[in-house]
Amino acid sequence: MDNNQASSAAPAVNRGAITACVILAVIMQALDTTIANVALPYIQGSVSASADQINWVLTSYIVAAAIMTPPSGFLAAKFGRKRVLLTAIAGFVIASILCGLAQSLTQIVGFRLLQGLFGASLVPLSQGILLDIYSVEERGSAMALFGVSVMVGPVLGPVIGGWLTENISWRWVFYINLPIGVLAFAGIIAFVRETTIDLHARLDWFGFGMLSIAIAALQLFLDRGEQLDWFSSSEIIIEALVCASAFYLLLVHTFTAQRSFIDPRLFLDRNFTVSMFFIFIIGVTYLASLALMTPYLQTLMGYPVMTAGIVMGPRGLGTMLCMFIVGRLIGKVDTRWLLLTGLGLTAWAMYDMTGWTPDVSQWTIVSVGFIQGAGLGFLFVPLTTIAFASLPAHMRGDGTGLYNLSRNIGSSVGISVVAALIVENVQANHASIVSYITPFNRAFETPVVMQSLDPMTAAGRASLDSLITSQATIIAYMDDFKLLMLMSLAAMPLVFLLRRPSSPAPADHSIAME
């Protein structure tokens, strides 16, 4: 039987084995989005990096993945999906080992870039395989399982990373990819057949180059803007101009070239286009909130690394539970109501977090985290299902690449923006609070206050400054959580732009099973 006409009624054992293998590959890639979060303070000390420099360990990985995600469809067509997937897994594992061996900031950032470059194709190719081997009726459940692997990975990352960092070494947050990668590699060799290779496939190098330049310039602009005082720096101005120019050229080229890097026909599908905006917002709100929670728990609340990972873990439980529930509701309940429920739960969780202080109880952190994870479960599965439900099968490869690109860019932008806002708002809040520290403030007449916070002594001024900085930081985190809440609420009207596809796209069972 020809690979392109393979029946979906393949042996269930082989289909289950293929699913397990690609899910392992996706989990490996998804874990590395956040597994290094809780280890950042330890990595920072080992490589002698500053607080703003160490964020590159996170963003370099996401940026590289964002740049290399769209060409995954071309690479699969040119060299075969199985071959590209095996190469990606092998390269990802090798880059992970090099990250664990890194001795300087430059080395670890460089190896994280390699991780992102190799790992970029793991998610879209795995998603394409699952879409191909399951029938239209079974895709809701398949996407639920896929969604668990994509979104629970970032949630379990802090838990696993915290345990490894505390009990062994931060280097093991990278070494752990070796056994997972070996299992996925062996399984794909054994169970997945190669797809038909198109020797005439061509990559639009100009379009790819403009997209890469735009993403890289945007990330530099966001990461270095706060440090260099934004547009008062010539470097930031240049990066903004390069980003805008590259994006403009990409748009013009996309809609005028005969064979552009991004097929503009993808955007004729309303559901796919709206879903791209949705997944961008999810990337911003969800992973940005995870990036905020780690330093909040460890720095402001003084949690040990392991405890911080554990209290963040219930997010994953909420996501897993709701993804499997929603997977069964797909086709029975209007997708738009599921998405509204997810956005509502996310906004509710963020609203609760705007009132947090370091005195908040562990139960509150766990319960609110569970609600936030549940919101993601109501978002990811129906969104992924409806995004590709009416997309023609021959455009699915490019579609999955572009869809995951939007999620990666959202994650990267979200992490950079909330990190920059924390720094900026701490300074502004500190200055605002300090304005009330005057000799005429009657609070300093209290003997208890004067004993420890006397502004007339060096020790008192130091204690007072520490207290003010702590209060300013708490308010800055509240402001960030409020921003993420407003973004979740602002996304709600987009739900009404989605529509149920009139007829599902024909299945393209290009993956045959032995």
Side-chain angles (χ1 to χ4, degrees), residues 283-339:
V284 170
T285 57
Y286 194 69
L287 288 181
S289 67
L290 284 179
L292 286 173
M293 283 302 300
T294 301
Y296 190 95
L297 294 174
Q298 292 186 9
T299 305
L300 284 179
M301 300 187 68
Y303 279 16
V305 61
M306 185 62 191
T307 306
I310 290 174
V311 297
M312 291 173 66
R315 277 176 169 77
L317 296 177
T319 302
M320 290 176 65
L321 178 63
C322 289
M323 277 184 173
F324 284 119
I325 293 173
V326 172
R328 295 184 177 274
L329 294 177
I330 295 291
K332 301 175 184 177
V333 178
D334 192 331
T335 304
R336 292 171 295 182
W337 288 112
L338 297 176
L339 292 173

Side-chain angles (χ1 to χ4, degrees), residues 40 44 48-56 419 423:
L40 279 185
Q44 182 179 347
S48 302
S50 63
D52 56 336
Q53 289 173 333
I54 201 64
N55 278 330
W56 277 93
V423 175

Side-chain angles (χ1 to χ4, degrees), residues 263-267 272 388 391-400:
D263 190 343
R265 292 175 298 175
L266 286 167
F267 301 106
F272 177 78
F388 302 100
L391 202 64
H394 68 277
M395 301 174 70
R396 201 174 292 142
D398 290 337
T400 53

Side-chain angles (χ1 to χ4, degrees), residues 390-430:
S390 55
L391 202 64
H394 68 277
M395 301 174 70
R396 201 174 292 142
D398 290 337
T400 53
L402 204 57
Y403 182 81
N404 285 287
L405 168 68
S406 185
R407 177 174 59 86
N408 283 333
I409 292 179
S411 304
S412 181
V413 168
I415 292 172
S416 297
V417 167
V418 297
L421 286 175
I422 284 291
V423 175
E424 185 172 324
N425 288 338
V426 166
Q427 295 172 350
N429 295 333
H430 190 282

Side-chain angles (χ1 to χ4, degrees), residues 458-500:
R461 287 193 296 271
S463 298
L464 193 58
D465 182 69
S466 176
L467 178 61
I468 292 171
T469 301
S470 175
Q471 295 297 312
T473 306
I474 293 170
I475 298 171
Y477 275 99
M478 289 178 175
D479 291 339
D480 268 9
F481 290 135
K482 186 180 296 183
L483 173 64
L484 298 179
M485 177 196 72
L486 293 175
M487 289 190 66
S488 299
L489 293 174
M492 285 186 171
L494 291 176
V495 169
F496 300 102
L497 296 178
L498 293 167
R499 59 186 177 191
R500 287 184 175 180

Side-chain angles (χ1 to χ4, degrees), residues 101-112:
L101 296 172
Q103 300 298 317
S104 68
L105 178 66
T106 303
Q107 288 179 2
I108 195 169
V109 169
F111 296 142
R112 285 284 280 176

Side-chain angles (χ1 to χ4, degrees), residues 5-6 23 46 54 64 68 73 97 119 124 144 156 167 197 253 258 268 300 308 350 376 393 407 411 424 427 430 476:
Q5 297 175 336
I23 289 299
S46 296
I54 201 64
M68 286 304 295
I97 294 172
L156 293 180
N167 292 281
I197 296 175
H253 181 73
Q258 194 171 24
L268 296 177
L300 284 179
M350 293 297 177
L376 180 67
R407 177 174 59 86
S411 304
E424 185 172 324
Q427 295 172 350
H430 190 282

